Amino acid sequence: MRGPHLAGMLVLAAMVIAAVPAFADPGVTASGGASAASEVVVKRGDRGTAVRRIQEELGITVDGVFGPQTERAVKRFQRSHDLVADGIVGPLTRGAMGLRPFSSRSLRRTSTHSVRVPAILRQIAECESGGNPRAISPGGLYRGKYQFSRDTWRNLGGSGDPADAPEWLQDRLALKLYRLRGTAPWPNCG
């Protein structure tokens, strides 16, 4: 008697479970937010108000650019909240931060100006400036993510202050310098 009754209950439970998704609105959770499948994920290279909200929540410099400093701060936050420390703000990290889902309008992906930065240049930037494109050395002589001197910057085709230049341009000119002279321009970090 127990076998047929249990089998009937299992069949009924399976039918109920199978029917539940039919009532759900795809892309929307019970709380009205975006589902994980359709949610905007924010990562390194992104820009915009979504990045600003993340930076404000993390208590770091708010510039709207998801660069190396923001990525490090996100990883610290993730580790301290027992999340996977991948540096990407997806649904779990965003929720742990207490932020509402981001709209696609609140985010700009890396521009077409971006350049693929080799690992050695990423290491040099991290060593020279902590990856900060606005960094200025204590004496003011070296400027930007790769700590260009103004002469080197101009010789590579840059104009103005390297620390005021967009990050993609600093990356591009650092790559040009690296292709010309290898790591020699960065004797302490190359």
Side-chain angles (χ1 to χ4, degrees):
M1 187 79 174
R2 184 172 178 198
H5 179 66
L6 181 60
M9 293 293 285
L10 288 174
V11 169
L12 179 60
M15 289 173 35
V16 168
I17 291 170
V20 169
F23 296 112
D25 182 11
V28 178
T29 64
S31 64
S35 71
S38 67
E39 179 152 336
V40 173
V41 173
V42 186
K43 61 188 185 324
R44 188 171 179 164
D46 291 343
R47 300 168 185 274
T49 57
V51 177
R52 287 181 186 282
R53 289 172 43 205
I54 291 166
Q55 291 169 329
E56 287 168 357
E57 188 61 35
L58 293 171
I60 61 173
T61 301
V62 178
D63 63 3
V65 178
F66 199 123
Q69 290 177 325
T70 302
E71 185 177 54
R72 281 192 304 275
V74 168
K75 286 180 180 180
R76 274 193 307 273
F77 176 88
Q78 290 169 324
R79 281 190 294 274
S80 71
H81 287 81
D82 295 321
L83 298 167
V84 174
D86 59 4
I88 297 170
V89 180
L92 294 176
T93 301
R94 181 199 44 76
M97 288 180 172
L99 297 172
R100 298 182 57 81
F102 303 116
S103 74
S104 58
R105 291 183 310 273
S106 68
L107 194 64
R108 289 188 322 275
R109 295 287 178 205
T110 302
S111 75
T112 57
H113 295 294
S114 66
V115 61
R116 177 142 167 71
V117 179
I120 185 67
L121 282 182
R122 288 194 303 271
Q123 291 169 354
I124 289 169
E126 188 65 31
C127 174
E128 290 286 347
S129 69
N132 180 359
R134 305 290 167 246
I136 299 173
S137 68
L141 183 60
Y142 301 106
R143 311 175 76 77
K145 183 175 177 180
Y146 299 94
Q147 294 293 279
F148 293 101
S149 70
R150 289 180 190 262
D151 286 341
T152 299
W153 181 252
R154 279 192 298 278
N155 289 338
L156 292 167
S159 63
D161 185 344
D164 290 336
E167 187 172 9
W168 65 264
L169 182 57
Q170 293 183 45
D171 289 339
R172 185 169 287 170
L173 294 184
L175 182 58
K176 182 177 180 180
L177 181 59
Y178 175 72
R179 287 178 176 157
L180 289 170
R181 301 197 41 222
T183 60
W186 302 280
N188 296 324
C189 295

